[in-house]
Amino acid sequence: MDARAHYDLAILGGDGVGPEVTAQALKAVDAAEARFGFTTSRVDYDLGGRRYLATGEVLPDSVMAELDDVDAILLGAVGTPEVPPGVLERGLLLKLRFAFDQYVNLRPVKLLPGVPTPVAGLTPDRCDMVIVRENTEGMYAGAGGSLYRGTDAEVATQESVNTRRGVDRVVRDAFDRARSRNRHLTLVHKTNVLNHAGDLWMRTFTEIGEADYPDVARDYVHVDAMCLYLVQSPDRFDVVVTDNLFGDIITDLGAAVQGGLGLAASGNLNPTGAHPSMFEPVHGSAPDIAGKGWANPVAAVLSASLCLAQLGQPDAATALEDAAATVLVEMDAMAGPDMGATTDQLGDRIAELVAG
Ligand code: NAD
Ligand code: IPM
Ligand code: MN
């Protein structure tokens, strides 16, 4: 770890609760800088629903070029009811994931001590896995089209794009993670129905495992069964690798198991470093609670922790994670709606704990 290191961060608060929770993550990063000696500079980008409605711009090329030069991007959330679905999600979030080739979407599912989980009797020692979601292909690629739109003969196709190269690189990343954890990797897919894509995923997984990771135990679970096991017996899983859409769906379920979307963090990683990685909560803009001060900032703080770990500040990353864990235990004792305190109060307390 280099205490004198400096990092350029781009901050994309986005819509709804996005800016509210991102502000708390930044307080925690401030405290980590003071304690661990590294520094950051930050440029705030006004992107999302407000800018789109005012100017029609989603993600100008000039902004893309600037973002490509930073060390990491912290994003809050995008999407708002005033803008048709997909405009911001595809035009901003997915554009960044694809253009910066952030092919690993890392989503830990970890039940922290003291957090109420809806799964009766589940204890933290039985829920600690990382889900590696493929992040640049699959159903998200946008392949397909429509004919006779608006007529009763309308046809719509949405195809899943899977390349050997794309599957290979994310599967290898997941095997590497399994090797540094408990040496167990699970492939989640739907090979019993998706004969083309499932076959490519299964062969790639098996061939790479046999050839290069004989020390990592492999198993396979269909995605429907995964939804059952993730709730019933999450202790079956160490590292999980899956395609883009399955990964999207099972990580919301994982978030529920670990105590809610307000606690679930993610990193969109470009493991080669050719472009910046981007860190964001798994949750969206939560229009139902935006502006109320009820958004839990822990997911954003844990995402910033993933960011610091990737930038090479492991002690700072651990300090953010520990502070978030402590606040979750303390929450019960704090006053306020729903989660026990306001977004801001929690952010202040987390920063105080990070400061040490
Ligand atoms: P959502 O994640 O915004 O909200 C789902 C539920 O979780 C809501 O009840 C919300 O109040 C709750 N929730 C979310 N974050 C929370 C937090 N920090 N603390 C407490 N509760 C929280 O999903 P949605 O309602 O399906 O989508 C809303 C918008 O966000 C849509 O436009 C969608 O496309 C977008 N979205 C963006 C991202 C992203 O930017 N990464 C992710 C998911 C959804
Ligand atoms: C997520 C979100 C995004 C996704 C949307 C907003 C494009 O749900 O990050 O999980 O589907 O990947
Ligand atoms: Mn999602």
Side-chain angles (χ1 to χ4, degrees), residues 51-78:
R51 175 149 176 189
Y52 175 73
L53 292 169
T55 69
E57 290 172 311
V58 177
L59 183 53
D61 288 347
S62 58
V63 173
M64 276 300 275
E66 285 178 37
L67 293 178
D68 204 2
D69 278 342
V70 302
D71 295 305
I73 301 167
L74 291 183
L75 185 133
V78 298

PDB file of all heavy atoms in Angstrom, residues 51-78:
ATOM      1  N   ARG A  51     -30.409  16.398 -16.015  1.00  0.00           N
ATOM      2  CA  ARG A  51     -29.702  16.926 -17.188  1.00  0.00           C
ATOM      3  C   ARG A  51     -30.391  16.514 -18.486  1.00  0.00           C
ATOM      4  O   ARG A  51     -30.504  17.308 -19.411  1.00  0.00           O
ATOM      5  CB  ARG A  51     -28.254  16.421 -17.182  1.00  0.00           C
ATOM      6  CG  ARG A  51     -27.497  16.826 -18.434  1.00  0.00           C
ATOM      7  CD  ARG A  51     -26.060  17.018 -18.149  1.00  0.00           C
ATOM      8  NE  ARG A  51     -25.276  17.319 -19.326  1.00  0.00           N
ATOM      9  CZ  ARG A  51     -23.954  17.351 -19.319  1.00  0.00           C
ATOM     10  NH1 ARG A  51     -23.294  17.079 -18.202  1.00  0.00           N
ATOM     11  NH2 ARG A  51     -23.282  17.637 -20.415  1.00  0.00           N
ATOM     12  N   TYR A  52     -30.838  15.283 -18.536  1.00  0.00           N
ATOM     13  CA  TYR A  52     -31.515  14.817 -19.760  1.00  0.00           C
ATOM     14  C   TYR A  52     -32.762  15.645 -20.036  1.00  0.00           C
ATOM     15  O   TYR A  52     -33.001  16.070 -21.175  1.00  0.00           O
ATOM     16  CB  TYR A  52     -31.868  13.331 -19.615  1.00  0.00           C
ATOM     17  CG  TYR A  52     -32.679  12.817 -20.781  1.00  0.00           C
ATOM     18  CD1 TYR A  52     -32.091  12.605 -22.027  1.00  0.00           C
ATOM     19  CD2 TYR A  52     -34.051  12.576 -20.645  1.00  0.00           C
ATOM     20  CE1 TYR A  52     -32.840  12.156 -23.109  1.00  0.00           C
ATOM     21  CE2 TYR A  52     -34.804  12.129 -21.722  1.00  0.00           C
ATOM     22  CZ  TYR A  52     -34.204  11.921 -22.950  1.00  0.00           C
ATOM     23  OH  TYR A  52     -34.942  11.476 -24.010  1.00  0.00           O
ATOM     24  N   LEU A  53     -33.561  15.892 -18.994  1.00  0.00           N
ATOM     25  CA  LEU A  53     -34.796  16.644 -19.193  1.00  0.00           C
ATOM     26  C   LEU A  53     -34.505  18.100 -19.555  1.00  0.00           C
ATOM     27  O   LEU A  53     -35.238  18.721 -20.319  1.00  0.00           O
ATOM     28  CB  LEU A  53     -35.672  16.562 -17.932  1.00  0.00           C
ATOM     29  CG  LEU A  53     -36.238  15.156 -17.668  1.00  0.00           C
ATOM     30  CD1 LEU A  53     -36.865  15.073 -16.276  1.00  0.00           C
ATOM     31  CD2 LEU A  53     -37.246  14.745 -18.742  1.00  0.00           C
ATOM     32  N   ALA A  54     -33.404  18.643 -19.028  1.00  0.00           N
ATOM     33  CA  ALA A  54     -33.072  20.036 -19.303  1.00  0.00           C
ATOM     34  C   ALA A  54     -32.407  20.217 -20.664  1.00  0.00           C
ATOM     35  O   ALA A  54     -32.661  21.208 -21.359  1.00  0.00           O
ATOM     36  CB  ALA A  54     -32.162  20.579 -18.198  1.00  0.00           C
ATOM     37  N   THR A  55     -31.576  19.270 -21.089  1.00  0.00           N
ATOM     38  CA  THR A  55     -30.749  19.491 -22.284  1.00  0.00           C
ATOM     39  C   THR A  55     -30.873  18.397 -23.346  1.00  0.00           C
ATOM     40  O   THR A  55     -30.366  18.558 -24.457  1.00  0.00           O
ATOM     41  CB  THR A  55     -29.246  19.551 -21.910  1.00  0.00           C
ATOM     42  OG1 THR A  55     -28.839  18.234 -21.501  1.00  0.00           O
ATOM     43  CG2 THR A  55     -28.968  20.527 -20.777  1.00  0.00           C
ATOM     44  N   GLY A  56     -31.479  17.263 -22.989  1.00  0.00           N
ATOM     45  CA  GLY A  56     -31.549  16.138 -23.925  1.00  0.00           C
ATOM     46  C   GLY A  56     -30.270  15.311 -23.963  1.00  0.00           C
ATOM     47  O   GLY A  56     -30.176  14.323 -24.685  1.00  0.00           O
ATOM     48  N   GLU A  57     -29.287  15.727 -23.151  1.00  0.00           N
ATOM     49  CA  GLU A  57     -28.016  14.982 -23.159  1.00  0.00           C
ATOM     50  C   GLU A  57     -28.035  13.850 -22.129  1.00  0.00           C
ATOM     51  O   GLU A  57     -28.483  14.041 -21.003  1.00  0.00           O
ATOM     52  CB  GLU A  57     -26.856  15.914 -22.789  1.00  0.00           C
ATOM     53  CG  GLU A  57     -26.533  16.936 -23.853  1.00  0.00           C
ATOM     54  CD  GLU A  57     -25.517  17.948 -23.352  1.00  0.00           C
ATOM     55  OE1 GLU A  57     -25.706  18.492 -22.244  1.00  0.00           O
ATOM     56  OE2 GLU A  57     -24.533  18.175 -24.063  1.00  0.00           O
ATOM     57  N   VAL A  58     -27.515  12.702 -22.531  1.00  0.00           N
ATOM     58  CA  VAL A  58     -27.406  11.573 -21.591  1.00  0.00           C
ATOM     59  C   VAL A  58     -25.960  11.400 -21.159  1.00  0.00           C
ATOM     60  O   VAL A  58     -25.645  11.426 -19.958  1.00  0.00           O
ATOM     61  CB  VAL A  58     -27.951  10.280 -22.228  1.00  0.00           C
ATOM     62  CG1 VAL A  58     -27.772   9.100 -21.279  1.00  0.00           C
ATOM     63  CG2 VAL A  58     -29.428  10.441 -22.575  1.00  0.00           C
ATOM     64  N   LEU A  59     -25.079  11.222 -22.111  1.00  0.00           N
ATOM     65  CA  LEU A  59     -23.658  11.035 -21.786  1.00  0.00           C
ATOM     66  C   LEU A  59     -22.821  11.542 -22.961  1.00  0.00           C
ATOM     67  O   LEU A  59     -22.467  10.773 -23.859  1.00  0.00           O
ATOM     68  CB  LEU A  59     -23.386   9.543 -21.515  1.00  0.00           C
ATOM     69  CG  LEU A  59     -21.986   9.126 -21.092  1.00  0.00           C
ATOM     70  CD1 LEU A  59     -21.508   9.934 -19.905  1.00  0.00           C
ATOM     71  CD2 LEU A  59     -21.966   7.641 -20.736  1.00  0.00           C
ATOM     72  N   PRO A  60     -22.520  12.833 -22.961  1.00  0.00           N
ATOM     73  CA  PRO A  60     -21.781  13.407 -24.098  1.00  0.00           C
ATOM     74  C   PRO A  60     -20.413  12.758 -24.279  1.00  0.00           C
ATOM     75  O   PRO A  60     -19.786  12.332 -23.300  1.00  0.00           O
ATOM     76  CB  PRO A  60     -21.620  14.885 -23.708  1.00  0.00           C
ATOM     77  CG  PRO A  60     -22.653  15.141 -22.658  1.00  0.00           C
ATOM     78  CD  PRO A  60     -22.869  13.843 -21.950  1.00  0.00           C
ATOM     79  N   ASP A  61     -19.949  12.707 -25.529  1.00  0.00           N
ATOM     80  CA  ASP A  61     -18.643  12.096 -25.824  1.00  0.00           C
ATOM     81  C   ASP A  61     -17.514  12.764 -25.056  1.00  0.00           C
ATOM     82  O   ASP A  61     -16.560  12.103 -24.637  1.00  0.00           O
ATOM     83  CB  ASP A  61     -18.339  12.206 -27.329  1.00  0.00           C
ATOM     84  CG  ASP A  61     -19.223  11.273 -28.136  1.00  0.00           C
ATOM     85  OD1 ASP A  61     -19.868  10.393 -27.518  1.00  0.00           O
ATOM     86  OD2 ASP A  61     -19.282  11.430 -29.378  1.00  0.00           O
ATOM     87  N   SER A  62     -17.627  14.091 -24.868  1.00  0.00           N
ATOM     88  CA  SER A  62     -16.555  14.800 -24.156  1.00  0.00           C
ATOM     89  C   SER A  62     -16.471  14.300 -22.713  1.00  0.00           C
ATOM     90  O   SER A  62     -15.383  14.174 -22.146  1.00  0.00           O
ATOM     91  CB  SER A  62     -16.822  16.305 -24.175  1.00  0.00           C
ATOM     92  OG  SER A  62     -18.082  16.570 -23.586  1.00  0.00           O
ATOM     93  N   VAL A  63     -17.617  13.999 -22.109  1.00  0.00           N
ATOM     94  CA  VAL A  63     -17.622  13.478 -20.737  1.00  0.00           C
ATOM     95  C   VAL A  63     -17.031  12.068 -20.720  1.00  0.00           C
ATOM     96  O   VAL A  63     -16.231  11.720 -19.845  1.00  0.00           O
ATOM     97  CB  VAL A  63     -19.053  13.491 -20.143  1.00  0.00           C
ATOM     98  CG1 VAL A  63     -19.090  12.788 -18.790  1.00  0.00           C
ATOM     99  CG2 VAL A  63     -19.570  14.918 -20.022  1.00  0.00           C
ATOM    100  N   MET A  64     -17.419  11.267 -21.707  1.00  0.00           N
ATOM    101  CA  MET A  64     -16.855   9.905 -21.807  1.00  0.00           C
ATOM    102  C   MET A  64     -15.331   9.957 -21.824  1.00  0.00           C
ATOM    103  O   MET A  64     -14.651   9.178 -21.153  1.00  0.00           O
ATOM    104  CB  MET A  64     -17.308   9.216 -23.104  1.00  0.00           C
ATOM    105  CG  MET A  64     -18.643   8.557 -23.058  1.00  0.00           C
ATOM    106  SD  MET A  64     -18.744   7.278 -21.818  1.00  0.00           S
ATOM    107  CE  MET A  64     -18.094   5.895 -22.695  1.00  0.00           C
ATOM    108  N   ALA A  65     -14.800  10.892 -22.622  1.00  0.00           N
ATOM    109  CA  ALA A  65     -13.338  10.993 -22.754  1.00  0.00           C
ATOM    110  C   ALA A  65     -12.711  11.378 -21.417  1.00  0.00           C
ATOM    111  O   ALA A  65     -11.678  10.829 -21.029  1.00  0.00           O
ATOM    112  CB  ALA A  65     -12.990  12.010 -23.833  1.00  0.00           C
ATOM    113  N   GLU A  66     -13.358  12.291 -20.690  1.00  0.00           N
ATOM    114  CA  GLU A  66     -12.824  12.681 -19.376  1.00  0.00           C
ATOM    115  C   GLU A  66     -12.878  11.514 -18.395  1.00  0.00           C
ATOM    116  O   GLU A  66     -11.937  11.267 -17.644  1.00  0.00           O
ATOM    117  CB  GLU A  66     -13.621  13.857 -18.805  1.00  0.00           C
ATOM    118  CG  GLU A  66     -13.300  15.178 -19.483  1.00  0.00           C
ATOM    119  CD  GLU A  66     -14.150  16.320 -18.931  1.00  0.00           C
ATOM    120  OE1 GLU A  66     -14.422  16.341 -17.702  1.00  0.00           O
ATOM    121  OE2 GLU A  66     -14.536  17.173 -19.725  1.00  0.00           O
ATOM    122  N   LEU A  67     -13.987  10.809 -18.418  1.00  0.00           N
ATOM    123  CA  LEU A  67     -14.142   9.682 -17.483  1.00  0.00           C
ATOM    124  C   LEU A  67     -13.093   8.600 -17.741  1.00  0.00           C
ATOM    125  O   LEU A  67     -12.625   7.938 -16.820  1.00  0.00           O
ATOM    126  CB  LEU A  67     -15.546   9.080 -17.594  1.00  0.00           C
ATOM    127  CG  LEU A  67     -16.706   9.968 -17.140  1.00  0.00           C
ATOM    128  CD1 LEU A  67     -18.038   9.267 -17.362  1.00  0.00           C
ATOM    129  CD2 LEU A  67     -16.560  10.345 -15.672  1.00  0.00           C
ATOM    130  N   ASP A  68     -12.740   8.449 -18.999  1.00  0.00           N
ATOM    131  CA  ASP A  68     -11.780   7.400 -19.350  1.00  0.00           C
ATOM    132  C   ASP A  68     -10.406   7.662 -18.723  1.00  0.00           C
ATOM    133  O   ASP A  68      -9.576   6.759 -18.617  1.00  0.00           O
ATOM    134  CB  ASP A  68     -11.664   7.301 -20.876  1.00  0.00           C
ATOM    135  CG  ASP A  68     -11.180   5.937 -21.333  1.00  0.00           C
ATOM    136  OD1 ASP A  68     -10.973   5.052 -20.470  1.00  0.00           O
ATOM    137  OD2 ASP A  68     -11.005   5.757 -22.547  1.00  0.00           O
ATOM    138  N   ASP A  69     -10.173   8.906 -18.321  1.00  0.00           N
ATOM    139  CA  ASP A  69      -8.866   9.271 -17.765  1.00  0.00           C
ATOM    140  C   ASP A  69      -8.772   9.160 -16.250  1.00  0.00           C
ATOM    141  O   ASP A  69      -7.696   9.368 -15.691  1.00  0.00           O
ATOM    142  CB  ASP A  69      -8.547  10.737 -18.131  1.00  0.00           C
ATOM    143  CG  ASP A  69      -7.986  10.818 -19.536  1.00  0.00           C
ATOM    144  OD1 ASP A  69      -7.540   9.767 -20.046  1.00  0.00           O
ATOM    145  OD2 ASP A  69      -8.018  11.916 -20.120  1.00  0.00           O
ATOM    146  N   VAL A  70      -9.890   8.907 -15.566  1.00  0.00           N
ATOM    147  CA  VAL A  70      -9.821   8.900 -14.093  1.00  0.00           C
ATOM    148  C   VAL A  70      -9.367   7.531 -13.592  1.00  0.00           C
ATOM    149  O   VAL A  70      -9.303   6.551 -14.344  1.00  0.00           O
ATOM    150  CB  VAL A  70     -11.171   9.291 -13.447  1.00  0.00           C
ATOM    151  CG1 VAL A  70     -11.614  10.668 -13.924  1.00  0.00           C
ATOM    152  CG2 VAL A  70     -12.248   8.246 -13.710  1.00  0.00           C
ATOM    153  N   ASP A  71      -9.062   7.468 -12.292  1.00  0.00           N
ATOM    154  CA  ASP A  71      -8.633   6.191 -11.704  1.00  0.00           C
ATOM    155  C   ASP A  71      -9.822   5.314 -11.342  1.00  0.00           C
ATOM    156  O   ASP A  71      -9.717   4.089 -11.347  1.00  0.00           O
ATOM    157  CB  ASP A  71      -7.776   6.463 -10.462  1.00  0.00           C
ATOM    158  CG  ASP A  71      -6.487   7.174 -10.844  1.00  0.00           C
ATOM    159  OD1 ASP A  71      -5.767   6.647 -11.708  1.00  0.00           O
ATOM    160  OD2 ASP A  71      -6.214   8.271 -10.321  1.00  0.00           O
ATOM    161  N   ALA A  72     -10.943   5.944 -10.985  1.00  0.00           N
ATOM    162  CA  ALA A  72     -12.146   5.164 -10.670  1.00  0.00           C
ATOM    163  C   ALA A  72     -13.360   6.077 -10.710  1.00  0.00           C
ATOM    164  O   ALA A  72     -13.244   7.292 -10.556  1.00  0.00           O
ATOM    165  CB  ALA A  72     -12.035   4.517  -9.297  1.00  0.00           C
ATOM    166  N   ILE A  73     -14.509   5.452 -10.928  1.00  0.00           N
ATOM    167  CA  ILE A  73     -15.776   6.186 -10.975  1.00  0.00           C
ATOM    168  C   ILE A  73     -16.646   5.705  -9.818  1.00  0.00           C
ATOM    169  O   ILE A  73     -16.780   4.496  -9.605  1.00  0.00           O
ATOM    170  CB  ILE A  73     -16.505   5.913 -12.307  1.00  0.00           C
ATOM    171  CG1 ILE A  73     -15.624   6.330 -13.500  1.00  0.00           C
ATOM    172  CG2 ILE A  73     -17.856   6.622 -12.355  1.00  0.00           C
ATOM    173  CD1 ILE A  73     -16.118   5.805 -14.848  1.00  0.00           C
ATOM    174  N   LEU A  74     -17.218   6.650  -9.073  1.00  0.00           N
ATOM    175  CA  LEU A  74     -18.227   6.308  -8.061  1.00  0.00           C
ATOM    176  C   LEU A  74     -19.578   6.775  -8.583  1.00  0.00           C
ATOM    177  O   LEU A  74     -19.750   7.959  -8.892  1.00  0.00           O
ATOM    178  CB  LEU A  74     -17.933   6.988  -6.725  1.00  0.00           C
ATOM    179  CG  LEU A  74     -16.706   6.529  -5.944  1.00  0.00           C
ATOM    180  CD1 LEU A  74     -16.629   7.266  -4.605  1.00  0.00           C
ATOM    181  CD2 LEU A  74     -16.722   5.020  -5.704  1.00  0.00           C
ATOM    182  N   LEU A  75     -20.502   5.838  -8.682  1.00  0.00           N
ATOM    183  CA  LEU A  75     -21.824   6.167  -9.213  1.00  0.00           C
ATOM    184  C   LEU A  75     -22.882   5.915  -8.143  1.00  0.00           C
ATOM    185  O   LEU A  75     -22.758   4.967  -7.360  1.00  0.00           O
ATOM    186  CB  LEU A  75     -22.088   5.304 -10.450  1.00  0.00           C
ATOM    187  CG  LEU A  75     -23.377   5.566 -11.222  1.00  0.00           C
ATOM    188  CD1 LEU A  75     -23.089   5.641 -12.723  1.00  0.00           C
ATOM    189  CD2 LEU A  75     -24.406   4.461 -10.999  1.00  0.00           C
ATOM    190  N   GLY A  76     -23.907   6.781  -8.108  1.00  0.00           N
ATOM    191  CA  GLY A  76     -25.008   6.579  -7.155  1.00  0.00           C
ATOM    192  C   GLY A  76     -26.057   5.678  -7.766  1.00  0.00           C
ATOM    193  O   GLY A  76     -26.071   4.465  -7.545  1.00  0.00           O
ATOM    194  N   ALA A  77     -26.926   6.244  -8.581  1.00  0.00           N
ATOM    195  CA  ALA A  77     -27.946   5.460  -9.286  1.00  0.00           C
ATOM    196  C   ALA A  77     -28.498   6.305 -10.406  1.00  0.00           C
ATOM    197  O   ALA A  77     -28.493   7.538 -10.319  1.00  0.00           O
ATOM    198  CB  ALA A  77     -29.076   5.078  -8.336  1.00  0.00           C
ATOM    199  N   VAL A  78     -28.968   5.662 -11.458  1.00  0.00           N
ATOM    200  CA  VAL A  78     -29.626   6.408 -12.528  1.00  0.00           C
ATOM    201  C   VAL A  78     -30.992   5.808 -12.818  1.00  0.00           C
ATOM    202  O   VAL A  78     -31.239   4.638 -12.558  1.00  0.00           O
ATOM    203  CB  VAL A  78     -28.797   6.449 -13.837  1.00  0.00           C
ATOM    204  CG1 VAL A  78     -27.477   7.155 -13.622  1.00  0.00           C
ATOM    205  CG2 VAL A  78     -28.594   5.062 -14.416  1.00  0.00           C
TER     206      VAL A  78
END
